[in-house]
Amino acid sequence: TPLASLVSSTTAIFTAVISGKDLNVARDTAHQYRKLGLGETQQNIINLAFIYAVVWGVGGNLTAASQELFDGHMKEDLQGVLVCNGCSLYDQYPDLTQLRMVKWEERVLNSYASIKKQVVPVMDTVKYSHLTKLLVMSARPVLVNGAVGVGKTTMVSSALEGTGLVLPVLITPSTSAHKVRDILESSLKAGPKHLMSRGDTAVVLLVDDVNMADPGATTPSHYELLRQLITYKGLHTKKKLEWKEVKHLIVAAVGCSQTSIDRVPQRAARLFTNITYVHPSEECMRGIVRMLLNKLFVERGFVKEVTDLTKPMAHGMVEVLIGMCDTFQKSFLKPYYAFSLHDLKAVVAGISQAVPRTCGSSRTATLLWIHEVTRCFCDKLSTPEDKESFTTVLMSALKRYFPHGSWKPDIFTSEWPLLFGDFLRPDAQKEDRVYEVIKEGWQLPVLFEYYTNELYDTSINVIFFKEAC
C-alpha cells in the first residue's frame, strides 16, 4: 500500500475517534473532553486514539503472520503504556470513558439473543464490524480483503446497517462500469446537477468481489468508475453524458486476496483504507457454531440431552474443517476441493431441519450431525481414496468429542449409508413433513418412482440406482 494511503487511513481513523464518531463514546462526551484543553485527560485521549489509528491505519492490511510482528514492534515502542498486557493490540480498542485500551472480548455478548442475520458476536466479527462502521461514518472508503469463506461480505453488510442507503453490487467477469452506473442512476433521485437518495441520507455503494473482474482486461472499467466516484464524487450519466454529483456517497468494497492475481490494482487500492480480514481462529469458529446451535436447540425446545451436545458438535465440526483443509488442497483439476466457513454454515442449516419429536435423544442427534457433516464435506470428494481420508478425519472427531457412542467406520461403508430426509411420507403436507433418519434405504427407489409418476410425465423412463438415490 502506498505511504500516502497509509497516512490518510491513519488520519481518518484518528479523526473519527477524536470527533466522537467512535461508537464507544458519545458525541457530548468527546466535546466535553475537547473543551478541557491539553491537560492530562486530553493527552490520554489523543494517545489512545493515535494507538488505535496506527494499529489499523498502518497495520490493518497485513497478513496474520505480519500482524504478529507489527504487534510486537508496537508493544516494544509503547512499553505497556495505556495498553493491556498479554493481548494483541489488534484485539483492543480505545475506551475514552475509562481512558484506557480495553479488550474486545469484554464487549462481546455471549448470549444467543444477540445473534442477528447469521452474524455471531464473537471477537473477530465485533472488532471488524466496529472498524468498518467507524470508517464509513467518517466518509472514508474502505476495502476489506480476505480469503474465500471467512465471512467478509456478511460482516460488512451487518456493519453498514443504519448508515444510509446501501446499494449492493456483485462484480463478476462480465460486470462492466455500465452496470454499476445503471444501479446508481436507477436507485437514486435525479436532480438538475446531482444524484441523491430519496431521504437525502448517505449512499453506501457496497461492491462485493471487487477484484473478480475479467482477468484479461488491463484495467477493468469498474475500477475507473470507482476511482471517479471516490475522487470526484460524481459520474457521467448514461444517456446524456452529463456530469452529476452523487451526494453523500461512500464506497465500501470486499475483495478476495487468495492469490497474487486477485490483487486490486494500486491505482484503485490507494484510494481505500485497506483491511485484511484474518481467517477466524479455531476458538472463534467454535464460538460461532456453538452459539448458532444453542440458539436453534433452545428456541425449538429440544430436550436437555440434545442441547448438551452443542459443545461437542461445534468442536467436532471445526476439527473436521481443519482436517479437511490440511488433507486436501484445491487445485486446477479439483477447484471444488475448497473448504471454509461456508461448509460449517451448511452443516448448521442441515441440522436446523430437525424437530424435537424426531430428534429426542443424543444418539439420534449425533447421527444427524454425522449425516450433515458427511453431506457437506464428503460429497465434494471424487475418489474412493479421498473419501477414506474423510472417514479417518470424521472418526477421529467422533472418538474425541462423542466418546459415549460405539462408532465404527462401517456406518459409511454399509450397503445403504446413513441418510436423513423429509420425503418419506408422500401424502404429508409441506408443513407436516419432518426431517428424520431413513432406516430402510432399499425403499428409496420405489418411493422415488412414485414421486416421478406423480410429478412428471409418466412417459419419462427413469431408472433409480443406488448412487442416484
Side-chain angles (χ1 to χ4, degrees):
T1 304
L3 180 60
S5 177
L6 298 179
V7 173
S8 61
S9 299
T10 304
T11 305
I13 298 174
F14 177 81
T15 305
V17 176
I18 291 296
S19 63
K21 291 181 180 178
D22 193 336
L23 305 180
N24 298 315
V25 59
R27 291 177 182 271
D28 55 349
T29 305
H31 180 66
Q32 180 182 358
Y33 284 151
R34 287 197 297 272
K35 290 169 61 178
L36 295 176
L38 286 175
E40 182 179 356
T41 301
Q42 183 71 6
Q43 188 63 49
N44 287 339
I45 292 175
I46 293 175
N47 291 339
L48 291 172
F50 182 74
I51 293 171
Y52 184 74
V54 171
V55 169
W56 288 105
V58 177
N61 67 328
L62 300 177
T63 61
S66 299
Q67 284 187 3
E68 293 182 5
L69 297 175
F70 182 76
D71 177 67
H73 287 299
M74 285 288 295
K75 286 181 178 178
E76 184 178 348
D77 293 337
L78 293 172
Q79 297 180 352
V81 178
L82 298 174
V83 299
C84 301
N85 295 322
C87 177
S88 171
L89 291 175
Y90 289 93
D91 297 335
Q92 303 177 36
Y93 73 93
D95 192 325
L96 302 189
T97 58
Q98 303 182 45
L99 296 180
R100 66 184 180 92
M101 297 293 285
V102 180
K103 297 179 181 179
W104 274 115
E105 61 186 16
E106 296 182 14
R107 288 180 54 88
V108 174
L109 302 177
N110 293 320
S111 171
Y112 66 83
S114 61
I115 300 174
K116 185 178 181 182
K117 294 184 178 179
Q118 300 295 315
V119 180
V120 182
V122 294
M123 187 171 64
D124 287 355
T125 57
V126 170
K127 71 180 182 182
Y128 283 111
S129 297
H130 171 268
L131 179 62
T132 303
K133 193 163 190 175
L134 181 65
L135 290 167
V136 170
M137 292 177 65
S138 305
R140 172 69 182 178
V142 58
L143 170 60
V144 180
N145 284 296
V148 176
V150 297
K152 306 180 299 294
T153 304
T154 303
M155 182 277 298
V156 173
S157 300
S158 175
L160 296 181
E161 290 184 358
T163 57
L165 175 63
V166 179
L167 302 178
V169 179
L170 178 62
I171 302 299
T172 66
S174 61
T175 302
S176 65
H178 297 293
K179 178 181 178 180
V180 181
R181 184 188 293 111
D182 290 342
I183 292 175
L184 283 170
E185 290 191 43
S186 61
S187 303
L188 301 178
K189 182 175 65 174
K193 295 183 179 180
H194 60 262
L195 297 171
M196 59 184 292
S197 63
R198 304 191 184 280
D200 198 20
T201 58
V203 179
V204 184
L205 182 64
L206 175 56
V207 186
D208 194 9
D209 289 342
V210 66
N211 51 351
M212 292 299 176
D214 184 5
T218 306
T219 303
S221 58
H222 74 276
Y223 283 134
E224 292 304 312
L225 178 60
L226 292 178
R227 189 181 65 85
Q228 187 181 79
L229 290 170
I230 295 173
T231 306
Y232 303 105
K233 305 296 182 183
L235 51 78
H236 290 94
T237 59
K238 184 176 181 179
K239 292 184 178 180
K240 299 182 179 181
L241 295 180
E242 296 176 335
W243 175 261
K244 289 195 175 184
E245 176 189 359
V246 182
K247 297 184 66 176
H248 313 304
L249 176 66
I250 308 166
V251 178
V254 179
C256 174
S257 57
Q258 196 77 6
T259 64
S260 59
I261 301 176
D262 300 325
R263 291 175 183 168
V264 177
Q266 289 291 334
R267 181 178 175 87
R270 65 183 179 84
L271 302 174
F272 294 88
T273 293
N274 293 268
I275 302 172
T276 298
Y277 195 98
V278 179
H279 196 287
S281 62
E282 293 183 29
E283 182 180 356
C284 178
M285 290 190 290
R286 293 190 192 105
I288 291 174
V289 177
R290 186 175 180 180
M291 293 175 72
L292 289 174
L293 290 175
N294 189 64
K295 177 178 183 291
L296 168 67
F297 291 155
V298 172
E299 286 188 350
R300 296 194 179 179
F302 282 84
V303 296
K304 187 177 184 301
E305 184 179 351
V306 175
T307 306
D308 290 342
L309 290 177
T310 54
K311 182 177 179 179
M313 282 184 176
H315 286 236
M317 287 165 59
V318 173
E319 181 170 314
V320 171
L321 173 61
I322 295 173
M324 297 298 286
C325 292
D326 293 340
T327 305
F328 304 104
Q329 298 294 329
K330 185 175 69 171
S331 63
F332 178 77
L333 296 177
K334 296 179 179 180
Y336 44 86
Y337 274 36
F339 304 97
S340 66
L341 286 177
H342 290 304
D343 298 291
L344 298 185
K345 183 178 178 181
V347 174
V348 174
I351 295 175
S352 67
Q353 299 180 78
V355 293
R357 64 189 177 95
T358 58
C359 186
S361 66
S362 59
R363 179 169 180 81
T364 304
T366 306
L367 289 174
L368 174 63
W369 180 86
I370 295 173
H371 173 263
E372 299 306 326
V373 170
T374 305
R375 297 284 74 76
C376 296
F377 288 96
C378 185
D379 286 357
K380 291 184 179 182
L381 308 179
S382 56
T383 65
E385 294 77 14
D386 291 345
K387 293 182 179 181
E388 288 182 7
S389 300
F390 164 78
T391 302
T392 302
V393 172
L394 182 56
M395 289 304 301
S396 174
L398 279 172
K399 293 177 180 179
R400 182 174 181 181
Y401 298 107
F402 302 90
H404 301 295
S406 56
W407 310 111
K408 298 180 180 179
D410 58 3
I411 193 174
F412 307 101
T413 58
S414 59
E415 182 179 0
W416 284 101
L418 176 64
L419 293 173
F420 276 74
D422 62 351
F423 46 79
L424 297 181
R425 298 175 175 83
D427 298 332
Q429 298 296 324
K430 184 177 180 179
E431 58 274 9
D432 296 330
R433 293 185 176 182
V434 292
Y435 198 62
E436 57 188 330
V437 63
I438 301 175
K439 299 179 180 179
E440 299 176 346
W442 58 269
Q443 293 182 346
L444 290 180
V446 178
L447 183 62
F448 288 158
E449 287 180 4
Y450 170 80
Y451 277 117
T452 303
N453 295 332
E454 289 292 322
L455 300 178
Y456 302 103
D457 187 357
T458 55
S459 62
I460 300 178
N461 188 15
V462 180
I463 298 176
F464 290 101
F465 50 93
K466 178 183 174 182
E467 283 73 15
C469 297

Short mmCIF file of all heavy atoms in Angstrom, two decimals, residues 112 115 120 283-297 307-315 317-318 348:
data_model
loop_
_atom_site.label_atom_id
_atom_site.label_comp_id
_atom_site.label_asym_id
_atom_site.label_seq_id
_atom_site.Cartn_x
_atom_site.Cartn_y
_atom_site.Cartn_z
N TYR A 112 -27.14 -15.92 23.06
CA TYR A 112 -27.61 -16.22 21.71
C TYR A 112 -28.63 -15.19 21.24
O TYR A 112 -28.91 -15.07 20.05
CB TYR A 112 -28.23 -17.62 21.66
CG TYR A 112 -29.50 -17.78 22.45
CD1 TYR A 112 -30.72 -17.40 21.93
CD2 TYR A 112 -29.47 -18.30 23.74
CE1 TYR A 112 -31.88 -17.55 22.67
CE2 TYR A 112 -30.63 -18.45 24.48
CZ TYR A 112 -31.82 -18.06 23.93
OH TYR A 112 -32.97 -18.19 24.67
N ILE A 115 -27.61 -12.72 18.39
CA ILE A 115 -27.34 -13.19 17.04
C ILE A 115 -28.36 -12.57 16.07
O ILE A 115 -29.55 -12.64 16.29
CB ILE A 115 -27.40 -14.72 16.96
CG1 ILE A 115 -26.36 -15.33 17.90
CG2 ILE A 115 -27.16 -15.20 15.54
CD1 ILE A 115 -26.45 -16.82 18.00
N VAL A 120 -22.65 -13.70 14.20
CA VAL A 120 -22.50 -14.08 15.60
C VAL A 120 -21.50 -13.14 16.26
O VAL A 120 -20.40 -12.92 15.74
CB VAL A 120 -22.01 -15.54 15.72
CG1 VAL A 120 -21.90 -15.96 17.18
CG2 VAL A 120 -22.96 -16.47 14.97
N GLU A 283 -10.86 -21.05 18.06
CA GLU A 283 -11.75 -20.68 19.16
C GLU A 283 -12.92 -19.85 18.68
O GLU A 283 -14.06 -20.03 19.11
CB GLU A 283 -10.96 -19.92 20.22
CG GLU A 283 -11.77 -19.53 21.44
CD GLU A 283 -10.95 -18.78 22.47
OE1 GLU A 283 -9.72 -18.62 22.27
OE2 GLU A 283 -11.53 -18.33 23.47
N CYS A 284 -12.64 -18.93 17.75
CA CYS A 284 -13.70 -18.09 17.20
C CYS A 284 -14.71 -18.93 16.42
O CYS A 284 -15.92 -18.74 16.56
CB CYS A 284 -13.09 -17.01 16.32
SG CYS A 284 -14.29 -15.93 15.52
N MET A 285 -14.22 -19.86 15.59
CA MET A 285 -15.13 -20.69 14.81
C MET A 285 -15.98 -21.59 15.72
O MET A 285 -17.18 -21.77 15.47
CB MET A 285 -14.34 -21.54 13.81
CG MET A 285 -13.71 -20.74 12.69
SD MET A 285 -13.00 -21.77 11.37
CE MET A 285 -11.59 -22.49 12.22
N ARG A 286 -15.36 -22.13 16.76
CA ARG A 286 -16.14 -22.93 17.70
C ARG A 286 -17.23 -22.09 18.36
O ARG A 286 -18.36 -22.56 18.55
CB ARG A 286 -15.22 -23.52 18.77
CG ARG A 286 -14.22 -24.55 18.26
CD ARG A 286 -13.55 -25.25 19.42
NE ARG A 286 -12.39 -26.03 19.00
CZ ARG A 286 -11.13 -25.65 19.19
NH1 ARG A 286 -10.87 -24.53 19.84
NH2 ARG A 286 -10.14 -26.42 18.78
N GLY A 287 -16.88 -20.86 18.73
CA GLY A 287 -17.86 -19.99 19.35
C GLY A 287 -19.02 -19.67 18.44
O GLY A 287 -20.19 -19.65 18.86
N ILE A 288 -18.74 -19.43 17.15
CA ILE A 288 -19.80 -19.12 16.18
C ILE A 288 -20.76 -20.29 16.05
O ILE A 288 -21.98 -20.14 16.16
CB ILE A 288 -19.17 -18.77 14.81
CG1 ILE A 288 -18.42 -17.43 14.89
CG2 ILE A 288 -20.24 -18.72 13.73
CD1 ILE A 288 -17.67 -17.09 13.63
N VAL A 289 -20.21 -21.49 15.82
CA VAL A 289 -21.06 -22.67 15.62
C VAL A 289 -21.83 -23.01 16.89
O VAL A 289 -23.03 -23.32 16.84
CB VAL A 289 -20.21 -23.88 15.17
CG1 VAL A 289 -21.08 -25.11 15.03
CG2 VAL A 289 -19.50 -23.58 13.85
N ARG A 290 -21.17 -22.92 18.01
CA ARG A 290 -21.82 -23.28 19.27
C ARG A 290 -22.99 -22.35 19.57
O ARG A 290 -24.07 -22.79 20.01
CB ARG A 290 -20.80 -23.25 20.41
CG ARG A 290 -21.36 -23.76 21.74
CD ARG A 290 -20.28 -23.82 22.79
NE ARG A 290 -20.81 -24.30 24.05
CZ ARG A 290 -20.10 -24.46 25.15
NH1 ARG A 290 -18.79 -24.18 25.14
NH2 ARG A 290 -20.65 -24.90 26.27
N MET A 291 -22.83 -21.06 19.33
CA MET A 291 -23.91 -20.11 19.62
C MET A 291 -25.09 -20.30 18.66
O MET A 291 -26.25 -20.19 19.05
CB MET A 291 -23.37 -18.68 19.54
CG MET A 291 -22.37 -18.35 20.64
SD MET A 291 -21.63 -16.72 20.47
CE MET A 291 -23.02 -15.69 20.90
N LEU A 292 -24.79 -20.63 17.39
CA LEU A 292 -25.87 -20.88 16.44
C LEU A 292 -26.66 -22.13 16.82
O LEU A 292 -27.90 -22.15 16.78
CB LEU A 292 -25.30 -21.02 15.03
CG LEU A 292 -24.77 -19.75 14.37
CD1 LEU A 292 -24.11 -20.07 13.04
CD2 LEU A 292 -25.89 -18.73 14.15
N LEU A 293 -25.94 -23.20 17.18
CA LEU A 293 -26.62 -24.43 17.57
C LEU A 293 -27.40 -24.25 18.87
O LEU A 293 -28.52 -24.76 19.01
CB LEU A 293 -25.60 -25.56 17.73
CG LEU A 293 -24.93 -26.07 16.46
CD1 LEU A 293 -23.86 -27.10 16.78
CD2 LEU A 293 -25.96 -26.68 15.51
N ASN A 294 -26.83 -23.53 19.82
CA ASN A 294 -27.52 -23.31 21.08
C ASN A 294 -28.81 -22.52 20.87
O ASN A 294 -29.85 -22.82 21.45
CB ASN A 294 -26.60 -22.58 22.05
CG ASN A 294 -27.18 -22.51 23.45
OD1 ASN A 294 -27.37 -23.52 24.10
ND2 ASN A 294 -27.48 -21.32 23.91
N LYS A 295 -28.73 -21.51 20.01
CA LYS A 295 -29.93 -20.73 19.69
C LYS A 295 -30.99 -21.61 19.06
O LYS A 295 -32.18 -21.54 19.40
CB LYS A 295 -29.56 -19.60 18.73
CG LYS A 295 -30.73 -18.74 18.25
CD LYS A 295 -30.22 -17.64 17.35
CE LYS A 295 -31.36 -16.72 16.92
NZ LYS A 295 -32.31 -17.38 16.00
N LEU A 296 -30.57 -22.49 18.15
CA LEU A 296 -31.50 -23.39 17.47
C LEU A 296 -32.17 -24.35 18.44
O LEU A 296 -33.41 -24.47 18.47
CB LEU A 296 -30.75 -24.17 16.39
CG LEU A 296 -31.47 -25.36 15.75
CD1 LEU A 296 -32.65 -24.88 14.94
CD2 LEU A 296 -30.51 -26.18 14.91
N PHE A 297 -31.39 -25.03 19.26
CA PHE A 297 -31.93 -26.05 20.16
C PHE A 297 -32.81 -25.45 21.25
O PHE A 297 -33.85 -26.03 21.60
CB PHE A 297 -30.79 -26.85 20.78
CG PHE A 297 -30.06 -27.73 19.81
CD1 PHE A 297 -28.73 -28.11 20.04
CD2 PHE A 297 -30.67 -28.20 18.67
CE1 PHE A 297 -28.06 -28.93 19.15
CE2 PHE A 297 -30.02 -29.01 17.77
CZ PHE A 297 -28.71 -29.38 18.01
N THR A 307 -29.52 -30.65 23.75
CA THR A 307 -28.93 -29.33 23.91
C THR A 307 -27.51 -29.41 24.44
O THR A 307 -26.65 -28.59 24.09
CB THR A 307 -29.80 -28.48 24.86
OG1 THR A 307 -31.14 -28.46 24.38
CG2 THR A 307 -29.29 -27.05 24.93
N ASP A 308 -27.23 -30.40 25.27
CA ASP A 308 -25.89 -30.55 25.83
C ASP A 308 -24.85 -30.94 24.77
O ASP A 308 -23.64 -30.92 25.06
CB ASP A 308 -25.89 -31.60 26.94
CG ASP A 308 -26.63 -31.13 28.18
OD1 ASP A 308 -26.84 -29.90 28.31
OD2 ASP A 308 -27.03 -31.98 29.01
N LEU A 309 -25.30 -31.29 23.58
CA LEU A 309 -24.36 -31.69 22.53
C LEU A 309 -23.83 -30.50 21.72
O LEU A 309 -23.05 -30.71 20.78
CB LEU A 309 -25.03 -32.68 21.57
CG LEU A 309 -25.33 -34.08 22.12
CD1 LEU A 309 -26.06 -34.91 21.08
CD2 LEU A 309 -24.04 -34.78 22.55
N THR A 310 -24.27 -29.28 22.03
CA THR A 310 -23.82 -28.12 21.24
C THR A 310 -22.30 -27.98 21.26
O THR A 310 -21.69 -27.71 20.22
CB THR A 310 -24.47 -26.84 21.76
OG1 THR A 310 -24.22 -26.72 23.18
CG2 THR A 310 -25.97 -26.86 21.52
N LYS A 311 -21.68 -28.17 22.42
CA LYS A 311 -20.22 -28.02 22.50
C LYS A 311 -19.49 -29.10 21.71
O LYS A 311 -18.62 -28.77 20.88
CB LYS A 311 -19.78 -28.02 23.97
CG LYS A 311 -18.28 -27.83 24.14
CD LYS A 311 -17.90 -27.76 25.61
CE LYS A 311 -16.39 -27.58 25.77
NZ LYS A 311 -15.98 -27.49 27.19
N PRO A 312 -19.77 -30.41 21.91
CA PRO A 312 -19.06 -31.41 21.10
C PRO A 312 -19.35 -31.28 19.61
O PRO A 312 -18.47 -31.54 18.78
CB PRO A 312 -19.55 -32.75 21.66
CG PRO A 312 -20.77 -32.44 22.44
CD PRO A 312 -20.62 -31.05 22.94
N MET A 313 -20.57 -30.90 19.25
CA MET A 313 -20.88 -30.71 17.83
C MET A 313 -20.04 -29.59 17.24
O MET A 313 -19.46 -29.73 16.15
CB MET A 313 -22.37 -30.39 17.65
CG MET A 313 -23.29 -31.58 17.73
SD MET A 313 -25.01 -31.08 17.39
CE MET A 313 -25.83 -32.68 17.43
N ALA A 314 -19.96 -28.47 17.94
CA ALA A 314 -19.18 -27.33 17.44
C ALA A 314 -17.70 -27.67 17.34
O ALA A 314 -17.06 -27.41 16.31
CB ALA A 314 -19.40 -26.13 18.35
N HIS A 315 -17.15 -28.27 18.38
CA HIS A 315 -15.74 -28.63 18.37
C HIS A 315 -15.45 -29.68 17.29
O HIS A 315 -14.41 -29.62 16.61
CB HIS A 315 -15.32 -29.15 19.74
CG HIS A 315 -15.20 -28.07 20.77
ND1 HIS A 315 -14.04 -27.85 21.49
CD2 HIS A 315 -16.07 -27.12 21.19
CE1 HIS A 315 -14.21 -26.83 22.31
NE2 HIS A 315 -15.45 -26.38 22.16
N MET A 317 -17.14 -30.19 14.44
CA MET A 317 -17.24 -29.59 13.11
C MET A 317 -15.98 -28.82 12.76
O MET A 317 -15.47 -28.91 11.63
CB MET A 317 -18.47 -28.68 13.05
CG MET A 317 -19.79 -29.43 12.99
SD MET A 317 -21.22 -28.38 13.36
CE MET A 317 -21.09 -27.14 12.09
N VAL A 318 -15.45 -28.06 13.70
CA VAL A 318 -14.24 -27.28 13.43
C VAL A 318 -13.05 -28.21 13.22
O VAL A 318 -12.20 -27.96 12.34
CB VAL A 318 -13.97 -26.30 14.59
CG1 VAL A 318 -12.63 -25.60 14.41
CG2 VAL A 318 -15.09 -25.26 14.68
N VAL A 348 -24.84 -26.46 9.83
CA VAL A 348 -25.82 -25.91 10.78
C VAL A 348 -27.20 -25.81 10.12
O VAL A 348 -28.23 -26.11 10.74
CB VAL A 348 -25.36 -24.54 11.30
CG1 VAL A 348 -26.44 -23.90 12.16
CG2 VAL A 348 -24.07 -24.68 12.09
#
